[in-house]
Amino acid sequence: MAQPVLALGAALLTAAGSVWYVPALTDLRAGADRPHSRRDAAAACVSVWSTTGVIAVLLLVTGAWWIPALTAAAGTALALVLRTRAAVRRRREEREAARHWEQLRWRPAAADRSRNGRTAFAVLLTTGLAAAAGTAALLLTGGPGDGPYWLTAAVPAALVGLFLLVAATVTHTHTYARAIRHPRPRGARHH
């Protein structure tokens, strides 16, 4: 096969490879915004496709076969080194990210916050129920002397009280069911 035909094939292959090397160039241009492993993988991709482009030019310029072959070997070796380095760095970054996520999940004060949330909910519930009961009692003491208006004012207060009572029951049931499904580990401290 003639070298110009091979050069044309390598040039077309390089042009088609833009699907891979253009995003890789974008990653390289982003610099520190991308992780090291991603930049190394992008450099490997760019080195492979630039080697293909250089081979296309060398096939047109030189008459010897060994120069494009040596260029292909050098470019492939460089890409393999960069790709291996990217894989090693990626594993290191994944271990580091897993360690950070594990540290974020372990929060010794989480039990205190959930207890404070339950206490705040209980205070709000008790206050709401007391306010609803007090409003209903005041409206009932006013008696039917005000006509049907006292009933219109007492019904929303009773509905608010009923809603708060149902909310407390549902929350308690949900918390109890969750405690059964996800019991605390034996060594966990109770606050």
Side-chain angles (χ1 to χ4, degrees):
M1 193 178 276
Q3 283 187 336
V5 174
L6 289 175
L8 179 64
L12 289 174
L13 185 64
T14 303
S18 66
V19 175
W20 289 284
Y21 65 76
V22 169
L25 286 171
T26 305
D27 284 342
L28 288 174
R29 185 171 169 89
D33 289 344
R34 301 289 192 272
H36 290 290
S37 62
R38 189 163 170 181
R39 284 184 278 165
D40 285 344
C45 178
V46 169
S47 69
V48 165
W49 290 107
S50 62
T51 300
T52 309
V54 169
I55 289 171
V57 171
L58 288 176
L59 286 170
L60 282 176
V61 174
T62 64
W65 286 92
W66 64 271
I67 296 174
L70 188 62
T71 304
T76 303
L78 176 64
L80 285 174
V81 167
L82 288 171
R83 193 67 183 129
T84 304
R85 184 175 158 184
V88 169
R89 281 187 166 179
R90 176 152 178 120
R91 278 194 293 270
R92 189 181 310 139
E93 290 166 355
E94 285 174 350
R95 283 193 305 265
E96 185 178 350
R99 190 177 68 245
H100 288 305
W101 278 109
E102 191 59 37
Q103 289 173 351
L104 286 174
R105 283 189 202 112
W106 184 76
R107 295 183 183 171
D112 294 338
R113 274 190 290 241
S114 65
R115 172 181 262 185
N116 290 341
R118 286 187 298 237
T119 304
F121 179 75
V123 167
L124 287 173
L125 178 70
T126 305
T127 306
L129 285 173
T135 304
L138 284 175
L139 290 172
L140 286 175
T141 57
D146 295 329
Y149 300 112
W150 71 273
L151 184 61
T152 306
V155 168
L159 288 176
V160 167
L162 181 65
F163 171 76
L164 290 173
L165 192 60
V166 169
T169 305
V170 168
T171 303
H172 178 70
T173 305
H174 175 71
T175 305
Y176 181 72
R178 185 175 177 165
I180 289 174
R181 280 183 295 195
H182 305 290
R184 284 182 180 246
R186 288 189 154 216
R189 293 175 17 183
H190 296 283
H191 295 281

